Amino acid sequence: MLQNVVPAEVSLVCVVKPDEFWDKKVTHFCFWKEKDRLGFEVILVSANKLTRYIEPCQLTEDFGGSLTYDHMDWLNKRLVFEKFTKESTSLLDELALINNGSDKGNQQEKERSVDLNFLPSVDPETVLQTGHELLSELQQRRFNGSDGGVSWSPMDDELLAQPQVMKLLDSLREQYTRYQEVCRQRSKRTQLEEIQQKVMQVVNWLEGPGSEQLRAQWGIGDSIRASQALQQKHEEIESQHSEWFAVYVELNHQIAALLNAGDEEDLVELKSLQQQLSDVCYRQASQLEFRQNLLQAALEFHGVAQDLSQQLDGLLGMLCVDVAPADGASIQQTLKLLEEKLKSVDVGLQGLREKGQGLLDQISNQASWAYGKDVTIENKENVDHIQGVMEDMQLRKQRCEDMVDVRRLKMLQMVQLFKCEEDAAQAVEWLSELLDALLKTHIRLGDDAQETKVLLEKHRKFVDVAQSTYDYGRQLLQATVVLCQSLRCTSRSSGDTLPRLNRVWKQFTIASEERVHRLEMAIAFHSNAEKILQDCPEEPEAINDEEQFDEIEAVGKSLLDRLTVPVVYPDGTEQYFGSPSDMASTAEHIRDRMKLVSLKRQQLSHPEMVTTES
């Protein structure tokens, strides 16, 4: 490429490779052998060594230099310049041909409308705009190049392009000005005649068929589908009007252009046509907009009514289904859902009222567009329909609220039912825990009569707690029966709670009675033993009573025997108080007391046989 373009201007070509290239094992480069054939030298060099051959001020930034140059920018500017030069030259030829032909033509040719052959192949405004932008870019580059002391200046071809662009722009402006005047003179009369004809066409259609179409459309529909059908019909009417409104916009622009031309002879006629056209079009557009807003409001009203109706149907369906929640959490969730649905219905009804009132206000203003037609009947039907929908929704909402109140009461009763069942089951658990505590921890019989009496008093209080728990459970179960009767539901899981409560209470009663018997026997044993073991010189004959010793011995043996006897429940199951080691410890203490009593008996019967040591 270099040989074909600028062979005489090239002395050295530097092929720059990245540094990684030198790490490869390349054996030889044969470019130097081609120097005579090419006419210049070709070398391979790394980027950091490029300044050995070229000054940094002549290298761009990507090669580590300071030269400010953007090749793509230059190329884009060059392409724009070449395109502008080509288009402007061609356009100048066409405009000169058109202008010269117009100067030589006769008066009849000047008054003809411009045909396709009379038009230039490209838009002069576009070409002029392109030229101005190109010139501005070139001047800006030259200005920036000399500002701030930057060591860079525009390329030579860019400096030479500026006067060429300026010269072409001057010629284009001159020829285009002449061309515009020719076109204006030729089209003036034709435009005026066409405008008059089109204005009358637009006015006649809008005041005729267009007005008749609007007179026939007054209803709002009784549902979404009916409103959508009316809206679709109105869109068809609007589509037909849009075609005529487009003609109006075009005519208005044309009239404004002719008025700006300032020809006195046409000003009065043009202003009259413009005023007539604007009045008719604005009046018809206002009627179309009013009708569109009315139908849109009706569609929104019917949409809100349909949504509200669906919400009421859903709420009613939910209320008509008899629910049987499994627990209190399900009931709370159901109540929350009911409240949310009812709140949503309230919001929907309020929205319906707002939409309905807005629609009624619009209907009340509808008579102003009636063109003398009596729309009282149509308006009354629409008003009755809107009010009827709102009243019906209000009644349906009130019925749902009443049913929600009933369902809420039922749900609250079910919450109470579940709570009673849970508390009754808890009472059974508490009573079972009390029974378990009685059997496992209430095992001591006391070391003396006083301690045993204290244990007996504690046991009675313990029994009072159990009795309160049992009574509490019974009351809860009676409440569940009443709630089930009120809710008209069959006996629930609480049906097996009463037998369990009675069974645990019966077991507790049996164990408690056994505990009382043992404590009472222990009190009798300790009391008699303490009387014997205490020294009573005032009553020696009482101490010497052999029957007392026999009674103490009999009570002690009976108490020991009772410790080994289990508590037998009505179902035949057996339970022991405490563990075997606990029973052994209690029995050992009783035996020690019995030995002391026996020793006392021997001492009193044979004093000489009892030594001081024994």
Side-chain angles (χ1 to χ4, degrees):
M1 183 179 65
L2 290 172
Q3 281 182 302
N4 295 333
V5 179
V6 286
E9 300 178 13
V10 179
S11 61
L12 174 65
V13 174
C14 296
V15 180
V16 181
K17 290 292 184 177
D19 292 338
E20 292 80 359
F21 178 80
W22 302 107
D23 296 337
K24 299 179 181 179
K25 295 181 179 181
V26 181
T27 56
H28 64 281
F29 302 102
C30 299
F31 292 131
W32 60 272
K33 296 180 180 180
E34 303 293 331
K35 180 177 181 181
D36 295 336
R37 183 179 65 83
L38 296 174
F40 48 80
E41 183 180 358
V42 179
I43 63 173
L44 278 150
V45 62
S46 61
N48 57 0
K49 296 180 180 181
L50 193 60
T51 53
R52 295 181 181 178
Y53 306 94
I54 303 175
E55 293 296 330
C57 63
Q58 296 178 344
L59 290 173
T60 56
E61 293 181 358
D62 50 346
F63 290 109
S66 59
L67 178 62
T68 305
Y69 173 72
D70 188 341
H71 181 66
M72 291 306 300
D73 179 68
W74 175 88
L75 180 60
N76 291 333
K77 296 295 186 300
R78 185 68 189 180
L79 292 175
V80 173
F81 170 74
E82 292 178 357
K83 179 182 178 183
F84 170 72
T85 302
K86 180 179 178 182
E87 290 182 348
S88 59
T89 303
S90 175
L91 180 59
L92 282 173
D93 294 339
E94 293 179 1
L95 292 178
L97 180 61
I98 294 172
N99 293 335
N100 294 335
S102 176
D103 293 339
K104 296 178 182 180
N106 53 23
Q107 184 67 23
Q108 181 179 1
E109 182 181 358
K110 290 183 181 180
E111 294 178 355
R112 283 188 318 205
S113 60
V114 180
D115 58 10
L116 292 177
N117 294 329
F118 188 71
L119 298 174
S121 58
V122 293
D123 182 19
E125 293 286 350
T126 303
V127 177
L128 284 171
Q129 180 67 24
T130 303
H132 285 301
E133 293 176 355
L134 176 60
L135 180 61
S136 176
E137 287 287 341
L138 293 174
Q139 292 175 345
Q140 186 70 20
R141 285 175 60 84
R142 184 173 186 177
F143 175 76
N144 292 339
S146 60
D147 188 18
V150 180
S151 59
W152 173 84
S153 60
M155 301 295 105
D156 293 340
D157 57 342
E158 294 180 341
L159 297 174
L160 295 174
Q162 295 181 29
Q164 298 179 31
V165 173
M166 295 175 64
K167 183 178 179 180
L168 287 172
L169 284 174
D170 293 339
S171 300
L172 278 174
R173 281 192 289 267
E174 179 183 357
Q175 290 294 333
Y176 184 51
T177 301
R178 292 181 57 195
Y179 168 75
Q180 287 177 318
E181 180 62 23
V182 169
C183 292
R184 192 185 71 82
Q185 292 296 334
R186 289 190 176 187
S187 63
K188 175 183 175 182
R189 178 48 50 189
T190 302
Q191 283 184 344
L192 185 57
E193 293 176 355
E194 290 179 351
I195 286 174
Q196 291 175 340
Q197 182 181 2
K198 291 182 179 179
V199 166
M200 294 313 300
Q201 288 179 350
V202 174
V203 170
N204 292 336
W205 190 89
L206 292 178
E207 292 183 342
S211 297
E212 288 297 329
Q213 289 178 345
L214 286 177
R215 288 193 188 99
Q217 299 293 319
W218 291 101
I220 62 172
D222 57 359
S223 63
I224 291 182
R225 182 173 299 179
S227 296
Q228 287 175 340
L230 290 173
Q231 199 170 44
Q232 183 177 1
K233 178 63 177 178
H234 182 73
E235 289 174 356
E236 295 174 359
I237 296 175
E238 282 186 330
S239 178
Q240 297 180 25
H241 280 74
S242 298
E243 299 175 1
W244 293 98
F245 288 152
V247 177
Y248 156 71
V249 174
E250 181 183 356
L251 290 174
N252 201 36
H253 286 311
Q254 293 176 6
I255 293 174
L258 292 177
L259 289 173
N260 292 332
D263 294 334
E264 296 293 337
E265 57 190 33
D266 299 329
L267 286 179
V268 177
E269 183 179 0
L270 286 173
K271 287 184 178 180
S272 176
L273 288 173
Q274 187 182 43
Q275 188 63 40
Q276 181 184 10
L277 182 62
S278 297
D279 291 343
V280 174
C281 289
Y282 276 108
R283 183 171 64 249
Q284 200 76 356
S286 299
Q287 296 168 7
L288 288 170
E289 182 180 7
F290 176 84
R291 176 63 179 168
Q292 175 61 31
N293 293 337
L294 183 66
L295 290 176
Q296 182 63 33
L299 184 61
E300 293 175 359
F301 172 78
H302 289 125
V304 173
Q306 179 173 300
D307 293 340
L308 179 58
S309 179
Q310 292 175 353
Q311 292 177 5
L312 289 169
D313 290 340
L315 180 58
L316 183 62
M318 182 178 178
L319 294 170
C320 290
V321 176
D322 192 12
V323 294
D327 50 31
S330 301
I331 293 177
Q332 294 296 337
Q333 184 177 1
T334 303
L335 287 174
K336 182 180 179 181
L337 181 60
L338 281 175
E339 295 297 338
E340 290 176 353
K341 286 184 174 293
L342 193 58
K343 183 177 180 181
S344 177
V345 168
D346 288 335
V347 174
L349 183 59
Q350 181 62 30
L352 181 68
R353 289 170 179 165
E354 294 175 358
K355 294 292 184 182
Q357 187 58 48
L359 186 55
L360 290 173
D361 294 340
Q362 286 184 276
I363 291 176
S364 64
N365 297 327
Q366 191 173 12
S368 60
W369 306 108
Y371 288 107
K373 176 183 177 181
D374 185 9
V375 294
T376 304
I377 299 178
E378 288 85 350
N379 281 346
K380 186 177 185 304
E381 292 178 356
N382 294 333
V383 170
D384 291 344
H385 168 68
I386 296 169
Q387 293 177 345
V389 170
M390 292 192 293
E391 292 173 359
D392 178 62
M393 293 300 173
Q394 176 62 39
L395 291 175
R396 291 176 61 186
K397 185 242 184 185
Q398 186 61 47
R399 288 195 296 270
C400 287
E401 283 182 340
D402 296 339
M403 295 181 69
V404 167
D405 291 339
V406 175
R407 177 59 59 88
R408 186 185 295 111
L409 178 60
K410 182 177 180 180
M411 291 291 102
L412 292 177
Q413 288 181 335
M414 295 191 74
V415 170
Q416 293 178 349
L417 175 61
F418 286 135
K419 182 63 176 175
C420 289
E421 291 177 346
E422 293 175 2
D423 291 348
Q426 184 64 51
V428 174
E429 295 297 327
W430 288 341
L431 196 59
S432 299
E433 292 174 1
L434 292 174
L435 175 61
D436 188 62
L438 175 62
L439 293 172
K440 292 183 178 180
T441 61
H442 293 211
I443 54 178
R444 295 186 68 253
L445 297 179
D447 295 335
D448 52 35
Q450 183 62 32
E451 183 181 3
T452 305
K453 290 179 181 179
V454 173
L455 290 175
L456 181 60
E457 183 63 26
K458 289 183 179 180
H459 176 72
R460 287 170 178 166
K461 294 180 179 179
F462 184 76
V463 173
D464 291 341
V465 173
Q467 180 69 51
S468 299
T469 303
Y470 171 71
D471 294 339
Y472 175 66
R474 291 277 299 182
Q475 293 172 1
L476 290 173
L477 291 174
Q478 290 174 358
T480 59
V481 174
V482 175
L483 288 173
C484 284
Q485 293 174 351
S486 175
L487 294 171
R488 298 179 181 177
C489 62
T490 57
S491 181
R492 298 171 47 79
S493 59
S494 58
D496 62 346
T497 305
L498 181 59
R500 290 195 303 117
L501 178 65
N502 291 332
R503 182 172 63 254
V504 175
W505 175 245
K506 185 64 176 177
Q507 294 174 352
F508 182 87
T509 302
I510 295 173
S512 175
E513 291 176 353
E514 178 62 25
R515 173 67 174 167
V516 170
H517 290 326
R518 293 186 181 188
L519 288 173
E520 290 177 346
M521 291 179 65
I523 290 173
F525 172 75
H526 286 305
S527 297
N528 293 330
E530 289 172 0
K531 291 179 180 180
I532 296 297
L533 295 177
Q534 291 177 354
D535 294 331
C536 297
E538 296 83 2
E539 300 178 359
E541 64 279 355
I543 298 176
N544 294 329
D545 191 355
E546 290 293 331
E547 293 181 0
Q548 287 188 357
F549 286 101
D550 294 338
E551 181 181 354
I552 292 173
E553 184 176 357
V555 172
K557 290 182 180 180
S558 298
L559 185 56
L560 289 174
D561 293 338
R562 193 140 197 162
L563 291 177
T564 61
V565 177
V567 179
V568 181
Y569 296 145
D571 58 358
T573 58
E574 299 178 350
Q575 288 290 341
Y576 288 90
F577 280 93
S579 62
S581 61
D582 294 332
M583 288 191 296
S585 176
T586 302
E588 183 65 24
H589 179 70
I590 295 173
R591 291 191 186 96
D592 290 341
R593 269 299 176 95
M594 291 178 66
K595 289 180 181 179
L596 291 174
V597 171
S598 177
L599 185 60
K600 186 68 173 178
R601 183 177 186 180
Q602 294 177 8
Q603 182 181 2
L604 294 176
S605 301
H606 307 283
E608 69 283 357
M609 296 178 61
V610 180
T611 65
T612 303
E613 182 180 358
S614 61

